[in-house]
Amino acid sequence: MEVLFNEQDLVDSICIYTAVKERIEPQQVEVDLEFHPSLGLAASTSALGRTARLHEQDIIDAVAVYLQDYHQFVADHLQVNLSISEKDGFTASIQVLNN
C-alpha cells in the first residue's frame, strides 16, 4: 500500500513531532520547509521563541511518528521517500511494507 502526503501533511507531521518532543501543543509550532541542493530537504521550526533545524531523516521520522500515533501504522514498516517539484511542492510517498 502507498500513502501520499502533500506539503500540508508534511508540515502537520513536523508540528506534531516537534510538539511531542517539546511537550507543547502542535498549534504552537511554526514550520518552514526548505530545499538545499547539497543537503536535501530540511525544515526550520519555531516554538515558544526557540528555533530548531530538522534534516531529511528528522522529517522522515516525523512522518513515521505521525502515521503511527494518529493512524496506527507500525513505524518500522514504513518506507518514506521525500521529494520536491515545482508543480506539487514538497511531498512524500510512503510505502507500507508487509512483515
Side-chain angles (χ1 to χ4, degrees):
M1 174 171 69
E2 180 180 33
V3 178
L4 301 175
F5 271 24
N6 62 27
E7 193 165 314
Q8 187 60 54
D9 295 324
L10 288 172
V11 168
D12 292 346
S13 297
I14 294 167
C15 286
I16 290 167
Y17 180 77
T18 302
V20 168
K21 289 178 79 172
E22 298 291 329
R23 297 185 179 154
I24 59 176
E25 294 298 316
Q27 299 86 338
Q28 295 176 286
V29 180
E30 292 182 29
V31 175
D32 182 31
L33 293 171
E34 307 163 358
F35 176 75
H36 300 281
S38 60
L39 302 173
L41 299 178
S44 295
T45 63
S46 176
L48 302 176
R50 295 185 300 245
T51 60
R53 185 152 193 76
L54 302 178
H55 298 283
E56 247 181 69
Q57 186 60 54
D58 299 313
I59 297 169
I60 290 169
D61 292 346
V63 169
V65 165
Y66 171 78
L67 286 171
Q68 178 176 296
D69 291 353
Y70 285 78
H71 299 288
Q72 288 70 52
F73 284 89
V74 178
D76 292 338
H77 294 179
L78 302 174
Q79 182 177 344
V80 180
N81 296 304
L82 303 173
S83 63
I84 184 172
S85 72
E86 283 188 36
K87 178 184 173 206
D88 299 321
F90 294 91
T91 60
S93 169
I94 303 106
Q95 297 294 322
V96 181
L97 309 173
N98 295 325
N99 285 342

